[in-house]
Each structure stands twice: as C-alpha cells, then as structure tokens.
C-alpha cells in the first residue's frame, strides 16, 4: 500500500524471466554515513478525508505488492492524516548529481530513472526537481555486462544467451501492476560519514544499481514521482548487502520514527544504546516475518485459535514499516475490536473513507486499553491507544487497525504490522544474526552507535530540517541514516 519500496516484487532478468536464488554475500566490518529522509506526504494533520483517502490508496497499493510476489517493501512512517512514504536525497556519479529516492527497507535494489527512459516522469507533484541518470555523464560509471559476477550472483548463474558486452538487464514486477525495467550500472554513491558525536564528512562507495529504462503503472505517474527507490532488503542486490560484502558496513540497520514531534533516526550499524530485546526472523522468507504467539488487550490474553499465528504461504506475521496501518485477519480483528471497545459500547461509529471513526472527548490513552503483541523469545510490542487510534478533526478518532479480509483475498490471513504501531520505538533489524527487536523510545533524542573497526562509540542525534526545507509543507520527518565507515576504506 504505498509505492514500491520492497513491495511484493519479482526481480527478473529480461532474458530469463525467472527468479533464481541469489548467492549469499559474506559481511565483513562496519562504517558511518548520513542520509536525511523526508516524508512523501505532508505532515502536521489537517489533511481531512482527502488525506485519509490517499493513505488508503497508498496502503492498498502496497498490500497488493506485498502479496503478489516475493519481496516486501519497508519504509513508510507517520500518522495516516499527514504522512506516507519517506524519501531521501542521495548523490550518484562523478561529478555527483542529486537524486530523490524512496526509502524502501524491504526491496532489494537501488534504482533511478535513466536518461533513456521511455515513461519516466520529468516532473513531480511533490515539488521536487527530478534528475535522469546518464551513465555516460559520469566518469566513474560503467555498465554491468551479463557475464560479470554481480549479474551471475543475482540470477544464480550465467544467463542463457549471454555474450560479452551485453548489459545485465532487470525487470521488477509489482503485484499492483507497476513495474520497472532497465539495466544495471556501477557508480559512486556519496553520503556523509559519521566521524564523531554529531560530526560528519563526505564519503563514497561504489555500488551497483538499476538504470530504469521504462516504468509502468504508478511508477510512470508524475503525481508523487521520485527519481527511484533505495532498497534495504536481504538479497545480495540491495545497497546494504553490497556495502556489507565490501566490508563497509555490518548487515544491521535500525529506525526510530517520531510521530509526536517529528524527526527520527535511520541507522546502519551496531546500536549499543538503547539495548533491545529481539525475536528470531522466520528463515527463508522474503519478508520480515516473525512468530507471533499471543495478543493481549488491557492485560487479558485473547482466546484465539492457534492456526491464526502459524507462518506459511499467505499466512503469518510480517513487520512492514512501509505500510502505515496494521492489518489483522478478520477473526483477530473482531476479537481485538470487541476487547478495545468493551467499556465503550455506547460509542457509535462513522464511516470515513472506509475507516471506523468515532467521537470521543478526553484522552484516548486514559479511556482505552493497551494492546500487546507477544512474540517468540518473550519479546512484547506494546501498542498504546494514541498509536492505534489517530485524530481526524475535532474530537474525532479513527481506528488504525484494519480487517485484512476486506483489503485483499490473498492477505486475509496475514498479520501485517505497519509503521503506526512501530513509531516511537527503536526497531533494530539484525540480518547477520537473523533477529529483529525493538524498545519504546523517545525518537526525538539520540542513540549510540559503535564503529566495529575502531571500537569508538558515537552519539547520533535525531534530525528535523523542516525549517530549511523549501516546499510548502509545514512539517517534515527527517530520518538520519547512519552507516559506519572504517578509517581504512577508500572514500
């Protein structure tokens, strides 16, 4: 339900049209850098029904992508009335040029629109100046041929019919019908290295990414167009995996998304403070699947059949910060709804763009119970009323949980936990140890990250650059993406 960050996507070589298992890349040591991430939809509330409708469309598209194929996109954030996807500014090439890309913590490649693109937007309704990447315009850029190691690793071997100097092509198909096709190139990615407490200096790394030659569906629209997508998935094609394989980062990232004051942190590397408890990721899954064991409302465990928690095809629990809302199987949704409103049976619901909304004066945190999801290895996710309700006008609140059976036939048995319940928590994705964890946290504060090469620990602060942003939006979330780059690296 959002544009395509790791959406349920299939990465296909144009020649083979088959998804082959990628080779595993061994991570080495770690490093530091900074990418400011801005939200795609305006912040601050007051969006009314139109904003809610846009949110529903965003989540609807994302849900389709998620369930359609093999890869899930992560990267959304904020309240349904004022936010959606987030994007960051990166620089590619020599000399470097600026590109705005959607942050996608689940998809598996970085790609940007190419100079030869047939259906790429030239303008964006977001007020951004879009840039088309020109491989020939960069002195450090080169086209990846189909007989090179990256291409073979991506598709599990040499492609049929491959001859020297033939480009390594890709085609990513999304479940909602959108698509991107093109070829891979290698060039310099620029970012800001973290060199001390709140201090940075320019750094770069060589990465292989997609040069999008043709976009279909939503990706060809100029309404909310960006230059591309920055994927943080687990496959070897992701930027994170490439940097880890080169010994520049550990395959660990974290986000802390603040819906109270705006701002937050998105970090690559070991977070040493605060500490988080973790739960295992379900192995051999394309998404961030975890084992949910029970749900508690107001201290009482719901009586739910065991099968609703089983992981399998089109079943199980997925952590997806790119989906804004939370989706529950119908049986679970009804039980949670009954328990939440048990003491408020006089409340009358209003339908606002298919959201369940109601009038309530006073503090929802005082009047409604906390919902707690319990996961394997005794990890709990506490969701407070202000996180599962969102305001939409004077004393009007809407429910941020949705009945999955009404959204998608294929997704009716999936528990999908979106960023509304993940906000105001530090969430750590440790792909090296195949665990994910979180803790309640003030995301407007700071975290401490460790440089594994030097042993130094640095403080990384939350950022909010809304006062300097040139668009008409009155509030923005900016996330800080930190990657630890060791001193021995060539930057």
């Amino acid at each position: 339900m959002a544009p395509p960050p790791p959406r349920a996507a299939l990465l296909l070589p144009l020649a083979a049209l088959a998804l082959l298992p990628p080779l595993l890349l061994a991570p080495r040591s770690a490093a530091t850098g900074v990418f400011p991430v801005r939200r795609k939809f305006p912040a601050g509330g007051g969006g009314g029904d139109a904003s809610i409708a846009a949110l529903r469309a965003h989540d609807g598209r994302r849900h389709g992508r998620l369930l359609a194929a093999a890869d899930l996109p992560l990267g959304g954030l904020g309240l349904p009335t004022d936010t959606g996807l987030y994007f960051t500014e990166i620089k590619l090439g020599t000399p470097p040029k600026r590109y705005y890309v959607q942050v996608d913590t689940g998809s598996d490649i970085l790609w940007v629109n190419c100079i030869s693109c047939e259906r790429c937007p030239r303008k964006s309704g977001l007020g951004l100046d879009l840039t088309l990447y020109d491989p020939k315009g960069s002195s450090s850029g080169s086209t990846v041929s189909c007989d090179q190691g990256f291409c073979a690793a991506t598709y599990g071997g040499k492609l049929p019919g491959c001859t020297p100097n033939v480009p390594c092509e890709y085609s990513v198909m999304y479940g909602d019908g959108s698509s991107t096709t093109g070829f891979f190139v290698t060039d310099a990615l620029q970012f800001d290295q973290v060199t001390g407490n709140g201090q940075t200096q320019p750094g770069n790394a060589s990465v292989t990414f997609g040069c999008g030659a043709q976009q279909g569906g939503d990706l060809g629209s100029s309404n909310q167009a960006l230059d591309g997508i920055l994927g943080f998935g687990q496959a070897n094609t992701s930027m994170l995996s490439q940097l880890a394989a080169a010994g520049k980062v550990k395959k660990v990232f974290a986000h802390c998304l603040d819906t109270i004051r705006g701002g937050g942190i998105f970090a690559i590397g070991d977070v040493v403070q605060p500490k988080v408890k973790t739960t295992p990721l379900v192995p051999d899954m394309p998404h961030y699947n975890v084992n949910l064991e029970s749900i508690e409302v107001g201290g009482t465990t719901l009586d739910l059949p065991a099968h609703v928690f089983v992981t399998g095809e089109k079943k199980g629990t997925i952590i997806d910060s790119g989906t804004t809302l939370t989706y529950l199987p119908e049986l679970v949704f009804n039980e949670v709804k009954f328990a939440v409103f048990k003491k408020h049976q006089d409340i009358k619901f209003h339908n606002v763009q298919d959201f369940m909304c109601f009038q309530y004066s006073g503090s929802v945190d005082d009047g409604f119970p906390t919902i707690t999801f319990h996961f394997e290895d005794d990890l709990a996710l506490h969701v407070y009323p202000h996180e599962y309700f969102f305001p939409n006008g004077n004393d009007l609140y809407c429910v941020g949980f949705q009945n999955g059976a009404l959204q998608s036939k294929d997704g009716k048995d999936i528990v999908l936990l979106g960023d509304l319940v993940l906000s105001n928590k530090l969430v750590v994705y440790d792909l090296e140890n195949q665990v994910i964890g979180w803790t309640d946290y003030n995301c407007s504060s700071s975290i401490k990250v460790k440089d594994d090469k030097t042993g130094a620990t640095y403080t990384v602060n939350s950022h909010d650059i809304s006062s300097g942003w040139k668009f008409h939006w009155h509030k923005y979330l900016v996330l800080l993406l930190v990657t630890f780059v060791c001193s021995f690296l060539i930057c």
Side-chain angles (χ1 to χ4, degrees):
M1 314 214 118
R7 322 131 180 190
L10 279 173
L11 173 61
L12 308 173
L14 295 183
L17 292 179
L19 183 63
L20 300 175
L23 300 181
L24 296 178
L25 296 181
R28 301 174 197 167
S29 52
T32 64
V34 177
F35 296 92
V37 180
R38 306 178 177 96
R39 57 176 99 198
K40 186 174 181 182
F41 296 142
D49 293 357
S51 292
I52 290 185
L55 180 278
R56 284 297 297 256
H58 158 91
D59 264 10
R61 290 191 298 270
R62 179 181 199 86
H63 212 193
R65 294 176 178 127
L66 165 64
L67 300 171
D71 246 356
L72 171 68
L74 304 177
L77 164 65
L79 299 175
T81 49
D82 61 23
T83 187
L85 296 181
Y86 289 83
F87 57 92
T88 186
E89 175 186 321
I90 62 172
K91 292 182 179 179
L92 295 170
T94 305
K97 292 185 178 180
R98 180 184 63 193
Y99 301 87
Y100 295 105
V101 290
Q102 183 180 330
V103 176
D104 185 355
T105 33
S107 63
D108 289 326
I109 66 170
L110 162 64
W111 62 265
V112 294
N113 292 325
C114 204
I115 191 71
S116 60
C117 184
E118 299 177 9
R119 288 197 56 201
C120 289
R122 264 51 174 183
K123 297 180 180 180
S124 173
L126 300 174
L128 299 170
D129 294 327
L130 301 183
T131 303
L132 296 176
Y133 174 78
D134 184 0
K136 296 181 180 179
S138 171
S139 62
S140 54
S142 61
T143 299
V144 176
S145 63
C146 63
D147 59 347
Q148 287 183 270
F150 177 89
C151 197
T154 298
Y155 298 116
K158 188 175 180 180
L159 297 178
C162 173
T163 57
N165 300 320
V166 171
C168 179
E169 299 176 321
Y170 76 88
S171 178
V172 179
M173 308 297 295
Y174 300 112
D176 64 345
S178 62
S179 62
T180 174
T181 61
F183 55 93
F184 286 112
V185 296
T186 298
D187 209 338
L189 166 72
Q190 297 207 0
F191 53 89
D192 293 332
Q193 291 179 222
V194 173
T195 56
N197 293 334
Q199 299 176 349
T200 64
Q201 68 180 26
N204 64 54
S206 179
V207 296
T208 297
F209 57 93
C211 194
Q214 184 170 353
Q215 316 301 354
D218 293 339
L219 298 178
S221 169
S222 62
N223 185 33
Q224 294 169 355
L226 295 170
D227 289 313
I229 293 173
L230 174 58
F232 277 87
Q234 301 186 53
N236 68 309
T237 51
S238 75
M239 185 188 75
L240 178 65
S241 294
Q242 291 185 58
L243 294 179
K248 297 195 174 186
V249 302
K250 294 191 70 173
K251 220 170 174 180
V252 182
F253 67 91
H255 59 66
C256 198
L257 311 175
D258 190 345
T259 61
I260 299 174
R261 298 177 56 186
I265 300 169
F266 194 108
I268 296 178
D270 278 335
V271 178
V272 296
Q273 185 181 329
K275 296 289 186 182
V276 301
K277 290 186 65 174
T278 61
T279 187
L281 288 168
V282 178
D284 303 320
M285 298 296 288
H287 314 303
Y288 292 101
N289 284 74
V290 289
N291 289 314
L292 177 62
E293 296 182 335
S294 66
I295 302 174
E296 184 182 298
V297 179
T300 301
T301 300
L302 301 182
D303 185 14
L304 296 169
H307 70 79
V308 304
F309 301 120
V310 174
T311 297
E313 185 179 0
K314 300 178 183 178
K315 296 181 66 177
T317 301
I318 297 171
I319 304 295
D320 179 16
S321 64
T323 293
T324 302
L325 305 174
T326 285
Y327 297 83
L328 302 173
E330 186 167 39
L331 186 155
V332 179
F333 175 83
N334 289 335
E335 290 293 324
V336 169
K337 175 186 171 185
F338 177 81
V340 165
F341 290 98
K342 188 175 182 179
K343 296 181 180 179
H344 299 279
Q345 298 189 21
D346 57 332
I347 280 181
K348 295 190 180 344
F349 294 104
H350 310 285
N351 187 303
V352 179
Q353 296 291 335
D354 291 331
F355 279 91
M356 284 180 12
C357 303
F358 60 96
Q359 294 290 144
Y360 189 80
S361 58
S363 168
V364 290
D365 284 323
D366 292 337
F368 293 87
T370 296
I371 302 172
T372 302
F373 295 86
H374 292 279
F375 298 87
E376 182 181 353
D377 285 356
D378 196 31
L379 177 64
L381 177 67
H382 302 292
V383 185
Y384 307 100
H386 70 270
E387 293 170 337
Y388 63 80
F389 292 144
F390 61 91
N392 188 40
N394 296 329
D395 295 334
L396 182 67
Y397 290 87
C398 299
V399 181
F401 285 8
Q402 297 285 294
N403 182 347
L406 301 180
Q407 313 305 316
S408 166
K409 178 181 178 182
D410 289 338
K412 65 184 179 64
D413 295 322
I414 289 178
V415 175
L416 187 63
L417 301 176
D419 72 74
L420 199 60
V421 301
L422 299 174
S423 298
N424 310 308
K425 297 171 178 63
L426 177 70
V427 183
V428 177
Y429 302 75
D430 185 346
L431 304 184
E432 294 194 348
N433 294 303
Q434 284 295 292
V435 296
I436 186 172
W438 49 75
T439 186
D440 291 340
Y441 200 64
N442 176 7
C443 295
S444 291
S445 57
S446 62
I447 63 174
K448 290 187 181 296
V449 290
K450 181 181 179 182
D451 184 331
D452 286 341
K453 178 66 175 179
T454 65
T457 297
Y458 299 123
T459 297
V460 177
N461 298 314
S462 170
H463 281 245
D464 186 344
I465 59 172
S466 60
S467 60
W469 189 234
K470 63 183 180 180
F471 300 121
H472 64 279
W473 302 340
H474 48 290
K475 226 178 180 187
Y476 308 92
L477 172 70
V478 178
L479 308 179
L480 184 65
L481 171 60
V482 181
T483 64
F484 269 76
V485 180
C486 304
S487 58
F488 67 87
L489 298 176
I490 299 174
C491 297

